[in-house]
Amino acid sequence: MEDFQKILKTKVFEIEKIIGAYLPKEEGFQRKVLEAMNYSVLAGGKRLRPMLMQETYRLFGGRGKEIEPFMAALEMIHTYSLVHDDLPAMDNDDYRRGRKTTHVVYGEAFAILAGDALLNFAFETALKAFPIQTEEPERLRVEQLLGIAKAMEVLAVKAGIYGMIGGQTADIEAEGSNSITTEQLLFIHENKTAALIQAAMMIGAILAGAGVGEVQRIEKCAYNIGIAFQIQDDILDVIGNQEELGKPIGSDEKNHKQTYVTLNGLEESKEQVQKLSEEAVQIIDSFGGDSMFLKELILSLIHRNK
Ligand code: GRG
């Protein structure tokens, strides 16, 4: 696709407008935590999860607005995870997305609170999808409401102990251990990283009215993207460039973390990223329809440098 980068930039801009519309106003006695929340969300970032959600929604013919609060909600959950992950008690990182991390700017207590607040506010935001009216007949409205309820469930589960928090728990427990198994590592990747990508694509499909079988295939596709994304993240932590990444490299070594790269080497890791991504594209192809940008997006992640 010739002007993929141009289209990508426009899409990021549009997504940031949607996210911005759902951010809280910085006012009242809780102002400081609201500022810390907005600082964290507005720090930039690839906006990959809302983008995957929107593209999957379109792939299945979605044309409504109920996707928008979910896009903002997922980015809030993703941002909270980064804020907490950067805390001294976890990875203890001072830079993220090219800026000082939230705890460095606002102090630890406010970074903890901002993360908690973003998680809660994400659900307050996603719930705003409910009153969005359609011109459709009554029967279709009921189906739409059931879709929103199902999407809420996916959001909650994939972010929780059977999703991202579960993966982070196993990851922290494995830190410093020099005998992590491939099974453990896959559990960590599937939950810590792939779960939110699965939430993105499954919610897009569900809200567009995809069937159960289609949502299952999208879950598998997003699994592949998520695992590939994490392996690439581990590769970049070894061979990436601090300026492009917006954060220091070598964090895994610093924290004595075993990764796909330490277990399998750089070359095998790169091949795996390619294979998983191509399989994901094949799944997308199997649905037919206009998925040119989505496929380009998935393939662009193989060679991402940030
Ligand atoms: C603290 C409950 C809790 C969970 C933290 C997601 C996570 C778990 C930690 C973040 C650190 C990390 C390496 C996670 C793996 C997923 C990942 C590579 C996140 C970074 O996502 P990008 O690259 O970030 O999409 P941007 O900044 O572009 O949004």
Side-chain angles (χ1 to χ4, degrees):
M1 209 178 183
E2 230 174 72
D3 39 12
F4 171 73
Q5 287 303 332
K6 216 168 123 197
I7 300 174
L8 180 69
K9 227 170 142 190
T10 311
K11 287 195 189 258
V12 169
F13 180 77
E14 293 301 323
I15 289 170
E16 293 197 329
K17 272 207 296 200
I18 292 171
I19 295 169
Y22 286 99
L23 289 178
K25 284 206 180 77
E26 296 172 7
E27 59 191 15
F29 286 117
Q30 68 276 60
R31 184 183 178 131
K32 190 160 174 182
V33 80
L34 297 166
E35 281 174 16
M37 289 163 76
N38 290 345
Y39 171 84
S40 316
V41 176
L42 295 173
K46 294 181 283 300
R47 312 304 188 191
L48 177 66
R49 293 151 193 81
M51 192 175 292
L52 286 171
M53 188 185 284
Q54 194 174 44
E55 293 306 313
T56 311
Y57 182 66
R58 287 183 181 151
L59 174 69
F60 287 99
R63 296 285 174 265
K65 290 253 177 228
E66 76 279 14
I67 194 75
E68 295 186 358
F70 277 95
M71 290 164 63
L74 188 58
E75 190 67 8
M76 288 175 200
I77 294 178
H78 166 59
T79 305
Y80 117 75
S81 81
L82 301 181
V83 171
H84 280 189
D85 190 64
D86 289 333
L87 284 168
M90 296 214 192
D91 271 5
N92 194 16
D93 283 318
D94 289 351
Y95 283 92
R96 156 98 47 198
R97 295 167 161 176
R99 285 218 226 180
K100 295 244 177 202
T101 42
T102 311
H103 67 92
V104 172
V105 178
Y106 291 92
E108 261 184 74
F110 279 96
I112 293 170
L113 282 170
D116 294 342
L118 280 169
L119 175 58
N120 201 86
F121 200 60
F123 286 96
E124 294 170 49
T125 302
L127 283 164
K128 293 197 167 99
F130 274 112
I132 290 174
Q133 295 298 311
T134 71
E135 310 267 303
E136 308 287 346
E138 196 66 27
R139 190 184 61 79
L140 280 183
R141 276 216 299 278
V142 170
E143 275 173 16
Q144 191 195 23
L145 293 178
L146 287 174
I148 295 171
K150 181 74 196 153
M152 292 292 309
E153 185 195 356
V154 169
L155 189 66
V157 172
K158 294 289 183 187
I161 47 167
Y162 301 106
M164 184 181 68
I165 295 176
Q168 177 76 348
T169 304
D171 193 18
I172 293 203
E173 219 181 337
E175 235 169 63
S177 137
N178 44 20
S179 60
I180 188 172
T181 62
T182 302
E183 193 191 355
Q184 261 176 299
L185 196 66
L186 272 180
F187 176 90
I188 293 168
H189 287 3
E190 174 173 2
N191 290 285
K192 186 178 94 168
T193 310
L196 285 200
I197 292 178
Q198 289 178 315
M201 297 183 77
M202 289 168 76
I203 290 170
I206 290 166
L207 291 181
V212 176
E214 288 172 316
V215 175
Q216 277 170 358
R217 277 155 66 207
I218 279 295
E219 188 173 20
K220 163 70 181 140
C221 171
Y223 169 88
N224 274 28
I225 298 172
I227 303 288
F229 191 79
Q230 182 58 57
I231 298 175
Q232 184 65 15
D233 202 65
D234 297 339
I235 293 173
L236 290 174
D237 195 57
V238 179
I239 60 165
N241 174 300
Q242 171 161 345
E243 252 164 44
E244 276 171 318
L245 278 172
K247 59 176 187 179
I249 62 164
S251 164
D252 293 333
E253 200 182 352
K254 181 183 92 183
N255 294 314
H256 309 288
K257 255 187 199 167
Q258 293 269 48
T259 66
Y260 198 90
V261 178
T262 58
L263 286 189
N264 301 291
L266 266 177
E267 282 320 303
E268 153 76 23
S269 304
K270 286 182 189 167
E271 277 166 27
Q272 197 59 15
V273 171
Q274 179 100 25
K275 184 169 164 271
L276 288 163
S277 308
E278 281 167 4
E279 272 173 26
V281 165
Q282 276 167 21
I283 298 176
I284 297 293
D285 259 336
S286 71
F287 293 113
D290 178 14
S291 55
M292 182 95 99
F293 178 80
L294 178 55
K295 288 187 291 186
E296 283 284 327
L297 177 64
I298 296 167
L299 293 175
S300 74
L301 296 174
I302 303 175
H303 305 292
R304 72 187 171 96
N305 47 19
K306 63 175 189 174

